[in-house]
Amino acid sequence: MSSCDRRSLLIRLGALAATLPVTACGFTPAYAPGAAANTLRNSVVPDDPANRMGYYFIGQIQSRLGPASTPRYRLSYRITTRKVELAVTTEGSILRYNIVGEVSYSLKDIKTGATLFTGRANSFTASAATQATIAAQSAEQDANERLMIILADQVVAHLTAAASSFAEQPVSQP
């Protein structure tokens, strides 16, 4: 047996050994068939957006969970943001802002109206302040969009983690 054959055998055995701890602990992908979080896919109907930030928030929710082709859940949310001066010169000019955002949300069963899960997510992004008004507005709009994507990702992560506590498990076919 050549050393090349022994080396490839050792590599294969090492790869097999690396997968054993993951399968031994009962790891299952969140969106695997039959997994609780899989019931969220294409079944969450968010409230209509009230403004541009809501539009970005809902867009990211739908890109992560898919459009609600089989609606089972309604996602209600309330977004709040505020601008915090971050870098101020000695002359009082603001060079940078933090945009701090929070979303409070609840997931309800569409059939019964029962609240299944509530939560909050918060984060921040930064925006440069420039002398040019259009550039400053563009930077702030971009920061708001990034913030809504971050918040939506957090909401989806929370719902995914908690899905086993509220999701109806699909009936398995024999």
Side-chain angles (χ1 to χ4, degrees), residues 4 8 17 21 38 42 51 59 69 80 106 136 141 143 146 154 163 165-166:
C4 183
S8 68
N38 198 37
N42 301 313
N51 54 29
S69 56
T80 58
S106 64
Q141 183 177 335
R146 287 183 283 120
Q154 286 182 13
S165 69
F166 62 78

Side-chain angles (χ1 to χ4, degrees), residues 140-172:
E140 185 176 342
Q141 183 177 335
D142 179 65
N144 280 321
E145 181 178 350
R146 287 183 283 120
L147 180 60
M148 292 306 109
I149 289 170
I150 292 167
L151 293 175
D153 285 345
Q154 286 182 13
V155 169
V156 170
H158 294 172
L159 293 175
T160 300
S164 62
S165 69
F166 62 78
E168 295 176 16
Q169 298 301 318
V171 178
S172 57

Side-chain angles (χ1 to χ4, degrees), residues 18 45 49 51 72 81 86 112 130:
V45 178
N51 54 29
R72 294 173 73 174
T81 61
L86 188 60
T112 66
T130 65

Side-chain angles (χ1 to χ4, degrees), residues 43-125:
S43 63
V44 176
V45 178
D47 288 346
D48 291 332
N51 54 29
R52 183 181 293 238
M53 287 189 287
Y55 174 79
Y56 291 131
F57 178 78
I58 293 307
Q60 184 67 8
I61 294 281
Q62 290 179 336
S63 77
R64 295 284 307 275
L65 296 176
S69 56
T70 55
R72 294 173 73 174
Y73 308 108
R74 170 151 307 275
L75 179 67
S76 298
Y77 60 93
R78 187 172 66 76
I79 298 168
T80 58
T81 61
R82 62 186 168 90
K83 244 175 18 173
V84 179
E85 297 171 358
L86 188 60
V88 181
T89 66
T90 55
E91 293 84 32
S93 298
I94 301 166
L95 302 176
R96 198 152 182 82
Y97 290 103
N98 263 358
I99 300 176
V100 180
E102 180 177 274
V103 61
S104 302
Y105 61 93
S106 64
L107 189 73
K108 296 180 181 178
D109 185 300
I110 289 178
K111 290 179 188 173
T112 66
T115 300
L116 304 172
F117 188 76
T118 62
R120 288 179 193 261
N122 57 53
S123 191
F124 70 93
T125 55

